[in-house]
Amino acid sequence: MKSKDKKKVSRQGVSRRGFLKGAAIGAAAVTGADLLKGQAEAKEDGYYPATTSPSAEFDFTQKSGALQPDAIIDSACQFCNSLCRLKVHVKDGRIIDVLGEPDDPVQSGGFCVKGPMMTQLVYNRFRLKSPMKRVSGEKGSPDSKFEPISWDEALGTIATKFLALRDAGEVRAICASQQRFAIANKTSGRMPRGTGSVIGRFFTLLGSPNDTDVGPVCNDAGGNALAWTFGLGNFTNGYGKDGATGKEDLGAAKYFLFLGTNQAETHPVTFAYLLRSRAQTKAKLIVIDPRLTPTGAQADEWIAPKPHTDQALVLAMLHHILDKNLHDAAFVQKWVLGFEELKTHLVKQGYTPEWAETITGVPAGKIRQIAEEYARTKPAAIFCNAGISHQLNAFDTYRTLAFLAAVTGNIGVNGGGCNFMHNTWPGGLNLPAIEGNPPKKDVALPVGPDYFAESILTGKPYRLKAIATAGNPLVSSANTRQVKEAYRQLEFYVYTGLFMEESAYYADIILPVCSGFEMETVYMRRDDRAIRWQKQAVPRVGESKPDWEIWIDLAHAMAKLDKKNPPAYWTENFPLEWKDYRNLWATFVKNTPGMGGMTQERMEKRAEPLRWPCPSLDHPGVSTLYLDHPSWYQVVKGLGIRNADTASQDSDANRGVTATSGNQGKRFLTPSGKVEIYTSELEKKLAVAGHAALPIFYTHPEVTGKNPTIEYSKEFVQNPINPQALTQKVKLGGISSGEVHQEYPLMGMIGRPSVVHFHTVTQWTYTGKQMNGIRLVQIHPKVAQRVGIKNGDAIAVESPRGSITGTAQIWEGIREDTIFVPHTFGPMQKMAEELGTPYYEAANTLVDDQYYDNLSGQQAYKCFACRVRKA
Ligand SMILES: Nc1nc2c(c(=O)[nH]1)N[C@H]1C(S)=C(S)[C@@H](COP(=O)(O)OP(=O)(O)OC[C@H]3O[C@@H](n4cnc5c(=O)[nH]c(N)nc54)[C@H](O)[C@@H]3O)O[C@H]1N2
Ligand SMILES: Nc1nc2c(c(=O)[nH]1)N[C@H]1C(S)=C(S)[C@@H](COP(=O)(O)OP(=O)(O)OC[C@H]3O[C@@H](n4cnc5c(=O)[nH]c(N)nc54)[C@H](O)[C@@H]3O)O[C@H]1N2
Ligand code: SF4
Ligand SMILES: [Mo]
C-alpha cells in the first residue's frame, strides 16, 4: 500500500471514529465543533478529495498546448439532481477535460467526483454498440449468447411481437368482465426528459395502461402527499435567488430539518450551496438518519431513530407543537382546513413525545426540543429523500410532514417549505392530442415495476407477457430472487441501456442507448423544478440512439406491420421531425401549462438552469410555490388543479399537467384553495384504499418490537391517488408479532454506497469501481463483537429472502439494532475484472416485496429483518 493510501485509510478509520466519541445514538450528541475537527484533520494528513487538485493554485493545464480545447461545449451531468452544467473540452473530436459552470451561483463552478465519469461512459469498452437478439442460452444465464442485428430487424421484431399479443387479445383480452393488458413498459430516471411522454403515447395507441415510470420506487410518495395537501406534487422551494422577491430562497432558511436524506453524497453540489449559505446565516441543521453520514457529519445535531419510524417522530412533534400552541394561528386560520380535527386526532391517538420515544428510541425531550426549535425558528425548511420514501408508510409520513410545515406557516415562504426531493419537474410534458381512436386503456397493474414480477408469476390480477425497460430491474427491484424467476418466465423482454447489465441477460432484444454527452437534449432536472439545455459534445457511440428516437422509430415500425390500423394511425401521431429533440422540445413548450418561457433558445444561453413554472419568456421561473405575492397568483391562473398525476417526477409517463382556468385567485391549488389537512372529501377518497385523511402510525412488520402494521386484502380497488392503476385495499393498525426477529434480530437499510456511485451506471466506470469497488456493510461495533466480526472481514448478510456478501465496516455511527447495506452492486458488472474487485449479488435479494405503500407504490427498501455472520 502506498503511503498516501495508508493515510487515507487511517483518516477514515481513526479521525472519523475520533469525532464520533461520545455520540449517544438515538439521543443526538454529535456537535458541529467535533465534526469540523474531523475535517481539519483530513487536510493535515495530506489526503485530498479526488476533485480537488493539490496544485490548484498553479494550474499547469492552462498553459499546455496539448490541452487547449478546440471547443468548449455546454453539456450537463446525467447523474444526480444537483444538475451541474459541465463544460466539455473537446480536441480533435475527443473529450479532453470536463469543468463546472462558474457563472451559476448555485453550482459555483463545482462538480463532484462523478462529473468527469461522464467521459468514462463515452470511452468505455463495455458499451453496447448495436442492437442485439438472443441466439442461445437460458434466460438470465451468463452464457446467454446474443448477436448484433440491424435497427430495422430489432424494431421489426418488437413491433411484430407487440402486435401479435395485441391481436391475440392479450392486450385487451377479456378476463371476467374486465379488459386485461399483457404488455408493459418501465422507465428509469436515467432518460432524457419527455421520453416518458413519447412512450405513454405509444402505449395509448397500443391500448395498454401498463407503462410505469421510476417514480413509485424513487420518491413519488412525497409528490403525492404534496399534491394532496398543497395542490402541486413538487419540491416547494428553490436554490438561489427567488426572481419574484429578489431574495435568497432556500439559502435564507434559518433551520434545516433533514429526514432520510444524505445529500452530501447524493446531491453534493446543491448541498454545498446550502452549506455556503448556512455559513452566512448560521442556520441550524438537524439530520435525522439511523446512521451517521457525511451529511450528518455537517449537522448541529444528528438524531438516529429506529428505521421506518419517522412517522411516529413527526406525529409527536406535531402533538407537542399544538399542545403548546406553538403553531402559526394567523396562517392556520386563513389558509388551513382541518386544523382542529388534526389536534383532536393527535390527542385521541395519544401521539405524545413519550409514546414516540417507545417507538423510535429518540428521547421525548429531544423530540420536544426539535419541535419547539422548528416551530420557533423561521423560516424553516424540511428536506426529505429516499430514507422517508422507501418506507411502507411513505405517503402518510409525507402527509404528516406537510402538516408540520402547514401548521407552523412554513409553506409558501422563501427559505421554508417541504422540499421532498426528486419531486421535481418536468413531471408531465404534454404532446398534442392523439389523432384517431385508440382503444380504451382501462386500469393498470398496481403502480411500480416491483409489481411486474408478481403479475408474471401469479397471473394476478393478470399476467404480463412482454416488457420493455429502461433501468436495471434485476438490481433495483425488491426481492431479486423472485424478480429473476419472473424475468426467466417472461415471454418477451426488451432491454434498453448502456451496458450488458444484469437485466440484459434476460432479454430477447437488446437496444443500445446514448450517454449524456452524445445528445442534444434536456436530461436531468434539479430538485427545485429547474432544468437546463445540453448540447451534444461528441458523436454517438456505435449505433446507439437516444430513447425518444427509439420509440418514434418503433412507432414507424408498427405502422408497417399493423393490420388493424392505417399507417397514419402511428406515423401521424409520431411525426419524424420529433426525432430532432429541438422540435420535440418546442412541442412540449407549446402544449404544457406553465412552460411558455422554457424555450431551447432561452435555456441554451443561461448559465443557470430555469425553473418551472415559467409561463413566458420574460418570466424568471417560480422559486417558492404558493408565495402570497402577485407573481404567484399571475402564474397559477394557467396551471392545473390538484392532479395526482403531476406528482410523477423522475419520468413523465404521459401524465400531463392539466390546464384550467379554475385556479384564478387561488393560493393553494387544492380544490378548496387552502392547505388540506382534513376534508370529508379527502377522507372519503382515501378510505377506499384503507387510509384516512388524518394518518395513524403503522410500520413494516420487520421493524423490531411489536408495532402497529398493515394487512393487505385480496380485493383490488382503484388507487385514489394513482387513479390509472389498481391497488390492494389495506387494513392498518394490527400489531406485528415480532416472530421474525427470533432468527433475524437486526434491521437492515439499503441505500447509496457513497458519492462515487450513481445507481448501477457508475459501476461500469473505471473510477467508480476503483474508488468504491467493495461493498462495505456498516455494522455497529457491539454487534460485530457479539458475532465475532472484525473490520474488513468478509461477511454474509442474511434475511428471510436470501443472503448476500460484503465486507464489514465497523461503524460507530449507526444504531446498534441496524446495519446499512449499499446497493447498486451487481453480479455482471464486468468492470470489476479491470480492478480485480468482487462480483456481488444484488442487495435487493434481502428485501421483501409483499409490503409496499398501496397508495404511492413505494417499496419498503429501507427495512428488512436480518442477521450477519462471518462468510
Ligand atoms: N451518489 C449518488 N447520488 C444519487 C443517487 C445515487 O445512486 N448515487 N441516486 C439518486 C436518486 S434516484 C435518489 S432517489 C437519491 C436518493 O438520495 P438519498 O435519499 O440521500 O439516499 P439513500 O442512501 O437511499 O438514503 C438516504 C438516507 O436515508 C437513511 N435512512 C434509511 N432508513 C431510514 C429511515 O427509516 N428514516 C430515516 N430518517 N432515514 C433513513 C439512510 O441511512 C441514508 O443515509 O439520490 C440521488 N443521488
Ligand atoms: N433496496 C433499494 N432498492 C432501490 C433503491 C434503494 O435505495 N434501495 N433505490 C431506488 C431508487 S430511488 C431508484 S431511482 C431505482 C433506480 O432503478 P433503475 O432506474 O432501474 O436503475 P439504474 O441503476 O439507475 O438503471 C441503470 C440502467 O439504466 C441504463 N441507462 C443509463 N442511461 C440511460 C438512458 O439514457 N436511457 C436508457 N434507456 N437507459 C439508460 C444503464 O445502462 C443501466 O442499465 O432503484 C430503486 N431501488
Ligand atoms: S453527480 Fe451531481 S453533483 Fe456530481 S457532477 Fe453530476 S450533477 Fe454535479
Ligand atoms: Mo431514485
Side-chain angles (χ1 to χ4, degrees), residues 619-682:
H619 196 282
V622 174
S623 186
T624 301
L625 300 178
Y626 321 113
L627 196 67
D628 196 6
H629 186 276
S631 64
W632 173 245
Y633 294 102
Q634 191 58 32
V635 166
V636 300
K637 277 197 302 200
L639 290 184
I641 202 159
R642 179 178 66 210
N643 170 2
D645 300 348
T646 58
S648 154
Q649 24 61 28
D650 253 357
S651 182
D652 26 38
N654 200 31
R655 303 172 184 183
V657 183
T658 50
T660 170
S661 53
N663 285 331
Q664 184 81 34
K666 274 188 180 176
R667 179 172 182 191
F668 295 95
L669 305 189
T670 53
S672 63
K674 296 192 176 186
V675 176
E676 295 189 354
I677 290 180
Y678 178 92
T679 69
S680 54
E681 190 64 12
L682 275 181

Side-chain angles (χ1 to χ4, degrees), residues 454-522:
E454 184 79 10
S455 157
I456 297 163
L457 293 172
T458 66
K460 287 186 185 137
Y462 53 88
R463 180 166 280 123
L464 290 180
K465 300 228 166 162
I467 299 180
T469 65
N472 193 2
L474 268 292
V475 172
S476 58
S477 297
N479 197 352
T480 313
R481 216 151 61 176
Q482 173 173 297
V483 179
K484 280 186 189 167
E485 188 47 38
Y487 277 74
R488 217 173 273 135
Q489 290 185 23
L490 179 63
E491 209 173 289
F492 185 72
Y493 174 41
V494 180
Y495 166 85
T496 64
L498 293 164
F499 302 107
M500 277 300 290
E501 300 245 32
E502 292 67 19
S503 306
Y505 290 85
Y506 292 77
D508 295 280
I509 299 284
I510 292 171
L511 303 177
V513 299
C514 305
S515 76
F517 286 168
E518 301 156 48
M519 49 190 163
E520 173 148 1
T521 192
V522 175

Side-chain angles (χ1 to χ4, degrees), residues 77 79-84 86 111-115 267-269:
C77 183
F79 300 128
C80 89
N81 290 38
S82 287
L83 183 59
C84 296
L86 296 181
F111 53 93
C112 81
V113 59
K114 294 187 288 309
H267 302 74
V269 165

Side-chain angles (χ1 to χ4, degrees), residues 203-482:
F203 269 70
T204 299
L205 293 188
L206 193 61
S208 170
N210 289 310
D211 67 306
T212 186
D213 59 25
V214 79
V217 297
C218 189
N219 290 275
D220 257 9
N224 297 151
L226 289 168
W228 277 62
T229 315
F230 305 127
L232 286 175
N234 305 94
F235 191 92
T236 57
N237 288 58
Y239 298 100
K241 278 214 166 72
D242 183 341
T245 58
K247 292 187 188 142
E248 279 292 321
D249 191 349
L250 286 168
K254 297 274 172 48
Y255 197 81
F256 289 105
L257 185 63
F258 281 24
L259 300 100
T261 162
N262 176 16
Q263 291 176 43
E265 296 192 286
T266 59
H267 302 74
V269 165
T270 42
F271 184 55
Y273 163 79
L274 295 180
L275 293 180
R276 284 198 306 277
S277 309
R278 172 175 169 242
Q280 307 288 319
T281 58
K282 309 287 176 242
K284 196 162 180 183
L285 170 63
I286 305 291
V287 171
I288 300 181
D289 191 317
R291 68 180 182 123
L292 184 72
T293 62
T295 311
Q298 295 291 338
D300 297 286
E301 289 196 49
W302 161 53
I303 296 175
K306 194 185 264 194
H308 247 81
T309 64
D310 300 74
Q311 193 198 0
L313 186 97
V314 182
L315 284 165
M317 285 175 74
L318 273 170
H319 187 287
H320 185 66
I321 288 170
L322 302 199
D323 187 45
K324 295 282 172 240
N325 280 321
L326 298 174
H327 62 283
D328 181 336
F331 180 86
V332 165
Q333 203 195 347
K334 189 154 179 210
W335 296 111
V336 178
L337 288 184
F339 176 81
E340 286 304 326
E341 288 87 344
L342 174 65
K343 198 167 172 177
T344 310
H345 172 71
L346 295 168
V347 172
K348 193 168 133 219
Q349 296 290 337
Y351 291 147
T352 61
E354 280 70 22
W355 162 80
E357 176 175 336
T358 64
I359 307 265
T360 62
V362 179
K366 183 58 62 183
I367 298 176
R368 283 199 191 89
Q369 175 211 316
I370 54 167
E372 287 177 23
E373 285 174 1
Y374 174 80
R376 289 193 168 123
T377 321
K378 289 191 177 169
I382 303 175
F383 279 79
C384 303
N385 205 169
I388 298 299
S389 304
H390 297 173
Q391 297 193 34
L392 174 61
N393 52 21
F395 175 82
D396 284 331
T397 303
Y398 273 121
R399 280 262 297 159
T400 316
L401 281 155
F403 301 167
L404 197 60
V407 300
T408 53
N410 269 310
I411 186 76
V413 289
N414 286 162
C418 291
N419 301 291
F420 299 166
M421 304 179 84
H422 286 236
N423 289 289
T424 175
W425 187 88
L429 288 167
N430 294 356
L431 290 168
I434 282 181
E435 312 255 345
N437 291 311
K440 188 172 174 296
K441 270 201 192 174
D442 214 320
V443 203
L445 288 175
V447 279
D450 288 286
Y451 205 85
F452 286 5
E454 184 79 10
S455 157
I456 297 163
L457 293 172
T458 66
K460 287 186 185 137
Y462 53 88
R463 180 166 280 123
L464 290 180
K465 300 228 166 162
I467 299 180
T469 65
N472 193 2
L474 268 292
V475 172
S476 58
S477 297
N479 197 352
T480 313
R481 216 151 61 176
Q482 173 173 297

